[in-house]
Amino acid sequence: MRKVNVILTLVILVLLSACSTGNTNTSSDKPIEPIIDATQFSKINSTQLVGIMGEPEKIEDFEWTVPKTNQSIVGKLYIYEKNKFEFILFDDVVTRLNVYSGQYWGYDESTFNFEEKDDIFPLFGIEYNNQIKKVADTNFALRYSPVSDKIDDVWIQEIEDKTFGIAKITYDPSYF
């Protein structure tokens, strides 16, 4: 009977310990509010982009030299929310999404915050696959490639004190 009481006491202590650690409110337990669901823009055309985001504040043509081929091509920038979201299109396909904080461009004092480096992906609605590779991790930049079936590359720049100024999400790396 004494062994049963000892075993019951140990089981109760283990259960109480599990319950108390399960209620701990760490950064990974808090739901992360996404800035944007970046996966929905993977290689869509301009009509689909406007269908999701609405009419852009500005559309700009720009000339780009493709680093891998040294070929000069013309692309389009679709700009939303005072340049918070900048979509780069080549041949009418979204190839990259740049996301800028307000502090970076100076349109307001907003910043993008994270607690841990793993918190960055949920900020963009990204679920990465098991093939993901970290290709850069400095004090100022963090880069992963490949990331998922829809996203080739995520490059976070201007990192300072668990904030960042720029996120570059690449869908088609052949232009960059």
Side-chain angles (χ1 to χ4, degrees), residues 3-174:
K3 285 184 180 179
V4 171
N5 286 340
V6 169
I7 291 172
L8 282 174
T9 302
L10 288 173
V11 168
I12 290 170
L13 288 173
V14 168
L15 288 173
L16 286 173
S17 174
C19 289
S20 67
T21 58
N23 290 333
T24 304
N25 196 11
T26 64
S27 68
S28 61
D29 292 338
K30 295 177 188 174
I32 296 173
E33 184 70 32
I35 298 166
I36 192 168
D37 178 4
T39 60
Q40 66 185 326
F41 304 107
S42 180
K43 299 180 183 176
I44 63 174
N45 64 36
S46 60
T47 303
Q48 293 167 310
L49 174 62
V50 171
I52 295 169
M53 294 294 291
E55 288 296 326
E57 292 171 2
K58 191 186 308 183
I59 298 174
E60 294 180 1
D61 289 339
F62 71 100
E63 193 168 328
W64 177 255
T65 302
V66 179
K68 295 173 185 171
T69 64
N70 216 25
Q71 177 187 6
S72 183
I73 60 174
V74 175
K76 288 196 179 290
L77 297 177
Y78 280 61
I79 298 170
Y80 293 87
E81 296 184 30
K82 298 180 184 174
N83 212 43
K84 180 176 184 178
F85 303 112
E86 176 185 77
F87 294 88
I88 299 174
L89 287 80
F90 292 111
D91 298 320
D92 199 42
V93 175
V94 175
T95 58
R96 178 179 274 174
L97 164 61
N98 295 327
V99 183
Y100 300 99
S101 72
Q103 278 190 351
Y104 180 81
W105 279 122
Y107 58 80
D108 64 28
E109 291 301 311
S110 65
T111 60
F112 300 132
N113 304 307
F114 63 96
E115 287 297 317
E116 302 294 330
K117 290 177 181 172
D118 289 344
D119 293 345
I120 289 174
F121 293 104
L123 288 173
F124 301 103
I126 298 171
E127 292 183 26
Y128 52 87
N129 64 28
N130 59 359
Q131 303 299 315
I132 191 170
K133 291 184 182 173
K134 187 186 298 185
V135 294
D137 188 357
T138 68
N139 289 332
F140 306 104
L142 181 62
R143 191 169 192 176
Y144 294 89
S145 181
V147 176
S148 72
D149 295 337
K150 292 186 173 191
I151 297 173
D152 180 71
D153 186 272
V154 173
W155 191 5
I156 306 299
Q157 300 174 348
E158 305 290 326
I159 297 173
E160 185 178 333
D161 299 327
K162 297 188 178 187
T163 67
F164 61 93
I166 307 168
K168 295 183 177 191
I169 300 163
T170 303
Y171 307 107
D172 185 349
S174 58

